Amino acid sequence: HNLIQAGVEVRCPKCSLKTWINLKAVDDMYTCEFCQEKSRFVDVVEPVSIVKDGNEVKKIDGTRWYYRLTGLIGKKDKQQGAIPVILTLQHLANRMHTYGEAIHSTALALKYEKNGEKKDAETDLVVFDMEHRMGKDDFEILIGECKTGQPITRAQIDRLVEVKELIEKSGIKCHLVFVKTKGGFSSSEIGHLKRLVAAGIKPLLFTSNELERWGDEYKNFKASRPDFRLPVEHPFTFGELAENAAYVYQLN
Protein backbone atom coordinates (compact mmCIF):
# COMPACT_ATOMS: atom_id res chain seq x y z
CA HIS A 1 0.00 0.00 0.00
CA ASN A 2 3.00 2.30 -0.46
CA LEU A 3 3.33 2.82 3.30
CA ILE A 4 7.09 2.36 3.19
CA GLN A 5 9.26 4.39 0.85
CA ALA A 6 12.90 3.91 -0.09
CA GLY A 7 15.39 6.68 0.50
CA VAL A 8 18.75 7.66 1.94
CA GLU A 9 19.68 9.53 5.09
CA VAL A 10 22.52 12.04 4.73
CA ARG A 11 24.22 14.28 7.24
CA CYS A 12 24.64 17.92 6.23
CA PRO A 13 28.33 18.94 6.25
CA LYS A 14 27.33 22.45 7.41
CA CYS A 15 24.85 21.94 10.28
CA SER A 16 25.61 18.24 10.94
CA LEU A 17 21.90 17.38 11.06
CA LYS A 18 20.54 14.40 9.17
CA THR A 19 18.14 14.81 6.26
CA TRP A 20 16.13 11.99 4.76
CA ILE A 21 15.90 12.07 0.95
CA ASN A 22 13.30 10.07 -0.94
CA LEU A 23 14.87 7.80 -3.53
CA LYS A 24 12.99 9.59 -6.30
CA ALA A 25 14.59 12.88 -5.24
CA VAL A 26 18.17 11.61 -5.18
CA ASP A 27 20.33 13.63 -7.56
CA ASP A 28 23.88 15.00 -7.69
CA MET A 29 22.83 17.74 -5.26
CA TYR A 30 20.52 17.83 -2.24
CA THR A 31 19.21 20.61 0.02
CA CYS A 32 19.33 20.29 3.80
CA GLU A 33 15.79 20.71 5.17
CA PHE A 34 17.14 22.50 8.26
CA CYS A 35 19.75 25.03 7.10
CA GLN A 36 18.90 24.95 3.36
CA GLU A 37 22.56 24.34 2.49
CA LYS A 38 23.02 22.77 -0.95
CA SER A 39 25.59 19.99 -1.04
CA ARG A 40 26.75 17.27 -3.36
CA PHE A 41 25.98 13.76 -2.18
CA VAL A 42 29.67 12.86 -2.51
CA ASP A 43 30.49 15.55 0.08
CA VAL A 44 28.88 13.55 2.88
CA VAL A 45 30.55 10.21 2.26
CA GLU A 46 33.31 10.96 4.78
CA PRO A 47 32.56 11.33 8.51
CA VAL A 48 31.62 14.82 9.70
CA SER A 49 33.86 16.34 12.39
CA ILE A 50 32.29 18.38 15.20
CA VAL A 51 34.78 21.06 16.23
CA LYS A 52 34.62 23.12 19.42
CA ASP A 53 37.19 25.77 20.36
CA GLY A 54 39.40 24.61 17.54
CA ASN A 55 39.44 20.97 18.68
CA GLU A 56 37.62 18.00 17.25
CA VAL A 57 35.28 16.73 19.94
CA LYS A 58 33.24 14.24 17.95
CA LYS A 59 33.21 12.52 14.60
CA ILE A 60 29.85 11.47 13.16
CA ASP A 61 29.53 8.87 10.43
CA GLY A 62 28.58 10.17 7.04
CA THR A 63 26.59 8.39 4.34
CA ARG A 64 28.03 5.11 3.15
CA TRP A 65 27.87 4.75 -0.63
CA TYR A 66 28.38 1.59 -2.64
CA TYR A 67 29.42 1.66 -6.28
CA ARG A 68 29.13 -0.89 -9.04
CA LEU A 69 29.77 -1.07 -12.76
CA THR A 70 26.73 -0.29 -14.85
CA GLY A 71 25.09 -2.06 -17.74
CA LEU A 72 26.67 -4.99 -19.56
CA ILE A 73 30.10 -4.34 -18.05
CA GLY A 74 28.62 -4.79 -14.59
CA LYS A 75 27.48 -8.38 -15.16
CA LYS A 76 29.27 -10.91 -12.96
CA ASP A 77 31.14 -12.79 -15.66
CA LYS A 78 33.92 -11.94 -18.09
CA GLN A 79 32.55 -8.66 -19.44
CA GLN A 80 34.94 -6.66 -17.25
CA GLY A 81 37.68 -7.83 -19.59
CA ALA A 82 36.07 -5.55 -22.16
CA ILE A 83 37.29 -2.45 -20.31
CA PRO A 84 41.00 -2.66 -21.34
CA VAL A 85 39.96 -3.55 -24.90
CA ILE A 86 37.64 -0.53 -25.14
CA LEU A 87 40.27 1.79 -23.67
CA THR A 88 42.91 0.47 -26.07
CA LEU A 89 40.71 0.98 -29.13
CA GLN A 90 39.84 4.49 -27.95
CA HIS A 91 43.50 5.34 -27.36
CA LEU A 92 44.53 4.07 -30.78
CA ALA A 93 41.74 6.05 -32.43
CA ASN A 94 42.85 9.22 -30.65
CA ARG A 95 46.58 8.72 -31.09
CA MET A 96 46.51 7.55 -34.70
CA HIS A 97 43.51 9.62 -35.84
CA THR A 98 41.92 6.52 -37.33
CA TYR A 99 38.25 7.45 -37.01
CA GLY A 100 36.53 6.07 -40.08
CA GLU A 101 39.78 4.66 -41.47
CA ALA A 102 40.41 1.56 -39.36
CA ILE A 103 38.46 -1.66 -39.06
CA HIS A 104 38.51 -3.61 -35.80
CA SER A 105 37.06 -6.70 -34.21
CA THR A 106 37.30 -8.11 -30.69
CA ALA A 107 37.64 -11.44 -28.89
CA LEU A 108 38.59 -13.76 -31.74
CA ALA A 109 39.51 -17.43 -31.45
CA LEU A 110 42.30 -18.29 -33.89
CA LYS A 111 43.08 -21.72 -35.29
CA TYR A 112 46.27 -22.41 -37.18
CA GLU A 113 48.76 -25.12 -37.99
CA LYS A 114 52.51 -25.12 -37.37
CA ASN A 115 54.85 -27.96 -38.30
CA GLY A 116 51.84 -30.19 -38.86
CA GLU A 117 50.44 -29.50 -35.39
CA LYS A 118 47.02 -27.90 -35.03
CA LYS A 119 46.99 -25.06 -32.50
CA ASP A 120 44.58 -22.57 -30.94
CA ALA A 121 45.18 -18.98 -29.89
CA GLU A 122 43.11 -16.01 -28.82
CA THR A 123 43.40 -12.32 -29.54
CA ASP A 124 41.42 -9.75 -27.58
CA LEU A 125 41.35 -7.41 -30.56
CA VAL A 126 42.26 -7.14 -34.21
CA VAL A 127 42.81 -3.72 -35.75
CA PHE A 128 43.36 -3.16 -39.48
CA ASP A 129 45.08 0.18 -40.01
CA MET A 130 44.26 1.36 -43.52
CA GLU A 131 45.40 4.98 -43.34
CA HIS A 132 46.99 6.38 -46.49
CA ARG A 133 49.30 9.06 -45.18
CA MET A 134 52.93 10.00 -44.97
CA GLY A 135 53.77 7.88 -48.02
CA LYS A 136 52.14 4.77 -46.61
CA ASP A 137 50.30 2.76 -49.27
CA ASP A 138 49.57 -0.54 -47.50
CA PHE A 139 47.78 -1.64 -44.38
CA GLU A 140 48.90 -3.34 -41.18
CA ILE A 141 47.29 -5.59 -38.58
CA LEU A 142 47.44 -5.38 -34.79
CA ILE A 143 46.64 -8.32 -32.50
CA GLY A 144 47.25 -8.88 -28.80
CA GLU A 145 46.26 -9.37 -25.17
CA CYS A 146 44.37 -6.73 -23.15
CA LYS A 147 43.99 -7.50 -19.46
CA THR A 148 43.06 -5.82 -16.20
CA GLY A 149 45.29 -7.34 -13.51
CA GLN A 150 45.64 -10.93 -14.76
CA PRO A 151 49.14 -12.02 -15.82
CA ILE A 152 50.15 -12.21 -19.47
CA THR A 153 51.87 -15.58 -19.76
CA ARG A 154 54.77 -16.62 -21.94
CA ALA A 155 52.55 -19.24 -23.59
CA GLN A 156 50.05 -16.54 -24.65
CA ILE A 157 52.85 -14.38 -26.03
CA ASP A 158 54.41 -17.31 -27.93
CA ARG A 159 51.08 -18.22 -29.55
CA LEU A 160 50.56 -14.65 -30.73
CA VAL A 161 54.10 -14.57 -32.12
CA GLU A 162 53.30 -17.69 -34.15
CA VAL A 163 50.13 -16.06 -35.50
CA LYS A 164 52.10 -12.92 -36.33
CA GLU A 165 54.64 -14.96 -38.30
CA LEU A 166 51.89 -16.71 -40.27
CA ILE A 167 50.19 -13.39 -41.12
CA GLU A 168 53.47 -11.87 -42.25
CA LYS A 169 54.09 -14.80 -44.60
CA SER A 170 51.22 -13.37 -46.65
CA GLY A 171 53.11 -10.07 -46.97
CA ILE A 172 51.02 -8.15 -44.40
CA LYS A 173 52.87 -6.46 -41.56
CA CYS A 174 51.57 -7.60 -38.17
CA HIS A 175 52.16 -5.95 -34.80
CA LEU A 176 51.55 -7.19 -31.27
CA VAL A 177 50.00 -5.19 -28.42
CA PHE A 178 49.95 -6.03 -24.73
CA VAL A 179 47.83 -4.07 -22.24
CA LYS A 180 47.62 -4.09 -18.43
CA THR A 181 45.20 -1.62 -16.88
CA LYS A 182 45.78 -2.60 -13.25
CA GLY A 183 49.20 -2.66 -11.61
CA GLY A 184 51.24 -2.34 -14.79
CA PHE A 185 53.58 -5.00 -16.15
CA SER A 186 55.20 -7.38 -13.67
CA SER A 187 58.92 -8.13 -13.68
CA SER A 188 58.27 -11.54 -15.25
CA GLU A 189 56.15 -9.96 -18.00
CA ILE A 190 58.89 -7.41 -18.68
CA GLY A 191 61.29 -10.34 -18.98
CA HIS A 192 59.07 -11.98 -21.61
CA LEU A 193 58.78 -8.69 -23.50
CA LYS A 194 62.57 -8.12 -23.45
CA ARG A 195 62.94 -11.55 -25.01
CA LEU A 196 60.60 -10.44 -27.80
CA VAL A 197 62.59 -7.28 -28.46
CA ALA A 198 65.84 -9.26 -28.48
CA ALA A 199 64.26 -11.38 -31.24
CA GLY A 200 63.49 -8.25 -33.27
CA ILE A 201 59.81 -7.93 -32.29
CA LYS A 202 58.83 -4.65 -30.66
CA PRO A 203 55.27 -4.78 -29.26
CA LEU A 204 52.97 -1.88 -28.43
CA LEU A 205 52.56 -1.60 -24.65
CA PHE A 206 49.87 0.27 -22.74
CA THR A 207 49.02 0.60 -19.07
CA SER A 208 46.67 2.96 -17.27
CA ASN A 209 49.45 5.59 -17.56
CA GLU A 210 48.86 5.79 -21.30
CA LEU A 211 45.19 4.86 -21.55
CA GLU A 212 43.85 7.26 -18.92
CA ARG A 213 45.78 10.30 -20.10
CA TRP A 214 45.75 12.22 -23.32
CA GLY A 215 48.56 14.54 -24.38
CA ASP A 216 51.03 13.58 -21.64
CA GLU A 217 50.81 9.81 -21.35
CA TYR A 218 54.34 9.41 -20.01
CA LYS A 219 54.24 12.03 -17.26
CA ASN A 220 55.13 9.51 -14.54
CA PHE A 221 58.14 8.24 -16.47
CA LYS A 222 59.42 11.75 -17.18
CA ALA A 223 59.30 12.57 -13.47
CA SER A 224 61.58 9.63 -12.58
CA ARG A 225 63.94 9.81 -15.59
CA PRO A 226 65.50 13.27 -16.11
CA ASP A 227 66.93 12.26 -19.51
CA PHE A 228 63.57 10.92 -20.74
CA ARG A 229 63.09 11.60 -24.46
CA LEU A 230 60.71 9.65 -26.67
CA PRO A 231 62.16 8.28 -29.95
CA VAL A 232 59.00 9.52 -31.73
CA GLU A 233 57.46 12.59 -30.10
CA HIS A 234 54.22 12.38 -32.10
CA PRO A 235 53.59 8.74 -33.11
CA PHE A 236 50.98 8.02 -35.79
CA THR A 237 51.64 4.36 -36.65
CA PHE A 238 51.81 1.01 -34.91
CA GLY A 239 55.55 0.90 -35.50
CA GLU A 240 56.14 4.33 -33.96
CA LEU A 241 54.07 3.44 -30.89
CA ALA A 242 56.12 0.24 -30.56
CA GLU A 243 59.40 2.20 -30.73
CA ASN A 244 58.22 4.43 -27.91
CA ALA A 245 57.08 1.45 -25.84
CA ALA A 246 60.48 -0.23 -26.09
CA TYR A 247 62.13 2.97 -24.86
CA VAL A 248 59.62 3.76 -22.10
CA TYR A 249 59.72 0.24 -20.62
CA GLN A 250 63.47 -0.09 -21.26
CA LEU A 251 63.21 -3.27 -23.28
CA ASN A 252 66.15 -2.66 -25.62
Side-chain angles (χ1 to χ4, degrees), residues 145-157:
E145 283 283 339
C146 301
K147 296 182 178 292
T148 50
Q150 304 92 333
I152 298 174
T153 66
R154 179 168 179 172
Q156 290 171 326
I157 294 174

Side-chain angles (χ1 to χ4, degrees), residues 218-243:
Y218 302 111
K219 181 179 180 180
N220 292 350
F221 296 95
K222 292 177 182 177
S224 60
R225 290 160 58 179
D227 60 343
F228 187 92
R229 186 177 181 84
L230 289 173
V232 184
E233 190 66 28
H234 302 289
F236 287 102
T237 67
F238 293 146
E240 291 172 348
L241 288 167
E243 286 291 336

Side-chain angles (χ1 to χ4, degrees), residues 1-6:
H1 298 285
N2 200 31
L3 294 176
I4 298 176
Q5 295 183 345

Side-chain angles (χ1 to χ4, degrees), residues 186-201:
S186 67
S187 57
S188 62
E189 289 168 336
I190 290 295
H192 299 328
L193 297 171
K194 284 184 175 180
R195 181 176 56 86
L196 277 186
V197 173
I201 301 172

Side-chain angles (χ1 to χ4, degrees), residues 48-52 55-60:
V48 177
S49 295
I50 306 299
V51 178
K52 183 177 181 181
N55 298 314
E56 181 181 273
V57 295
K58 190 176 182 182
K59 182 170 282 189
I60 305 172

Side-chain angles (χ1 to χ4, degrees), residues 69-153:
L69 294 170
T70 59
L72 180 62
I73 294 176
K75 290 179 67 64
K76 292 183 178 180
D77 45 34
K78 296 184 178 180
Q79 277 85 350
Q80 291 190 37
I83 294 175
V85 176
I86 292 169
L87 290 175
T88 301
L89 291 172
Q90 181 186 41
H91 182 75
L92 290 172
N94 288 336
R95 172 53 72 186
M96 300 175 65
H97 305 291
T98 56
Y99 287 113
E101 297 290 343
I103 296 175
H104 72 267
S105 186
T106 60
L108 294 181
L110 308 174
K111 296 183 181 296
Y112 62 99
E113 187 173 313
K114 184 177 181 180
N115 299 328
E117 180 184 357
K118 292 184 178 181
K119 295 188 175 184
D120 297 314
E122 294 181 354
T123 177
D124 290 328
L125 78 172
V126 176
V127 181
F128 294 84
D129 176 31
M130 301 189 297
E131 283 277 10
H132 299 280
R133 59 176 180 279
M134 300 173 66
K136 183 178 173 184
D137 57 1
D138 56 358
F139 68 91
E140 301 177 350
I141 294 178
L142 180 72
I143 60 175
E145 283 283 339
C146 301
K147 296 182 178 292
T148 50
Q150 304 92 333
I152 298 174
T153 66

Side-chain angles (χ1 to χ4, degrees), residues 8-11 41 44-47 61-67:
V8 61
E9 191 175 53
V10 297
R11 189 176 295 278
F41 273 102
V44 295
V45 175
E46 298 299 328
D61 289 339
T63 302
R64 183 174 295 276
W65 288 91
Y66 297 92
Y67 298 90

